Amino acid sequence: MSDEAASRDHVNSLERGLGVMEILAAHPAGLTLTETAEKAGLTRAGARRFLLTLVATGYATQTGRLFALSPRLLSVARTWLQGTSLWAFAEPFMRQTAAALQESCSATILSGEDVVYVARVAGPRIVSLELHVGSHLPAYCTAMGRVLLSGLKPEEVDAFLSRIPLTPKTEKTLTEPKRIAETVARARREGYAVVDEELEIGLRSIAVPLRDRSGAIVAAINVSTQSARHSAAEMERDFLPLLKQTAARIEDFFVQ
């Protein structure tokens, strides 16, 4: 195809609209109209049209002055994720990890307020939660969620926590934004997160990030266990080295 023909077939407005979606995806806590316009290099009027179109079609939400992507995008993302070779590539490594530790191993991405499961290998032992590809859980009280949130800037984490309901799932669930932000900051420093019975009594989980070639966190993988089987300290000592090794092997896919 000639450059002239390619130029005729190029839909500039679609390109700009997709750019707005990418900007919102990078800021799950939401952006104002002015912030979106600045980041997209658009006028306020132009950005407003794109944002209101996304809201009207259900791909974005508006809460006060903030615009954010909506869970509807999951229907598109889930279809792609289930077919993409990334998780087909990752699953054998996750299966080896699950077999070695005799526990389940899962991968999630961040979407809106939740983590969404994109791959899962169930362990041989029973864990009460029924989870599968497409399941979603609150990001604020899960190990994978805190790892994924650690990829955001501190001010973005604060904004995220300020706009979502922090409902206690158990008596151990952290619901104070400051304390949750501290656990996210710790995950950012240490490269992993442990959640101890905050989502469900008797359930512990440890998670590490998956990064792309730029170093950005794009997903997280975890291992979950019942609290009667392993303490949090044992998970850090016995599970974490293998989980990090598994993450490194999956990350190799991003740089091939």
Side-chain angles (χ1 to χ4, degrees):
M1 182 182 294
S2 69
D3 290 344
E4 182 180 352
S7 178
R8 286 199 305 267
D9 292 334
H10 190 85
V11 182
N12 290 324
S13 60
L14 176 59
E15 181 182 18
R16 290 193 294 270
L18 292 173
V20 170
M21 292 183 73
E22 290 177 350
I23 289 167
L24 292 180
H27 298 83
L31 291 172
T32 65
L33 169 59
T34 299
E35 290 170 335
T36 304
E38 290 176 350
K39 292 180 182 297
L42 298 169
T43 64
R44 280 174 51 86
R48 182 175 183 275
R49 287 195 294 271
F50 286 120
L51 289 171
L52 292 182
T53 299
L54 289 173
V55 171
T57 54
Y59 285 100
T61 61
Q62 182 179 4
T63 305
R65 297 173 60 243
L66 291 178
F67 293 86
L69 289 183
S70 78
R72 181 175 179 183
L73 195 60
L74 288 177
S75 62
V76 177
R78 189 176 301 138
T79 300
W80 179 82
L81 285 164
Q82 288 176 338
T84 186
S85 60
L86 169 60
W87 304 113
F89 173 89
E91 186 174 321
F93 300 120
M94 295 172 61
R95 193 170 298 282
Q96 291 172 13
T97 301
L101 299 177
Q102 294 289 288
E103 303 290 355
S104 64
C105 183
S106 305
T108 64
I109 59 171
L110 184 65
S111 179
E113 302 173 4
D114 297 335
V115 297
V116 179
Y117 281 68
V118 293
R120 178 167 170 80
V121 177
R125 296 168 173 170
I126 296 175
V127 175
S128 58
L129 284 177
E130 288 287 340
L131 297 169
H132 49 78
V133 171
S135 294
H136 55 92
L137 294 172
Y140 70 91
C141 61
T142 55
M144 286 189 287
R146 290 178 183 171
V147 163
L148 289 165
L149 290 173
S150 74
L152 304 179
K153 297 177 181 177
E155 59 269 25
E156 292 175 329
V157 174
D158 291 340
F160 176 91
L161 295 174
S162 70
R163 72 178 180 88
I164 66 171
L166 300 176
T167 307
K169 302 298 182 182
T170 75
E171 62 268 27
K172 293 188 176 183
T173 307
L174 297 182
T175 57
E176 298 174 17
K178 182 178 179 181
R179 293 187 64 192
I180 298 173
E182 289 171 351
T183 66
V184 172
R186 187 180 309 120
R188 188 181 296 115
R189 290 193 307 270
E190 299 180 352
Y192 72 97
V194 175
V195 165
D196 189 358
E197 299 185 303
E198 291 189 51
L199 180 65
E200 180 178 301
I201 290 298
L203 182 66
R204 291 191 175 114
S205 179
I206 187 168
V208 299
L210 291 176
R211 300 177 184 273
D212 64 15
R213 67 181 65 199
S214 73
I217 295 175
V218 294
I221 61 170
N222 86 332
V223 173
S224 296
T225 187
Q226 291 182 349
S227 58
R229 293 202 289 265
H230 299 281
S231 68
E234 287 172 340
M235 294 179 77
E236 291 178 334
R237 183 191 68 205
D238 301 331
F239 290 13
L240 185 58
L242 180 56
L243 196 56
K244 285 185 173 181
Q245 181 183 20
T246 301
R249 296 170 78 183
I250 296 172
E251 286 173 347
D252 285 344
F253 180 84
F254 291 115
V255 297
Q256 288 179 353

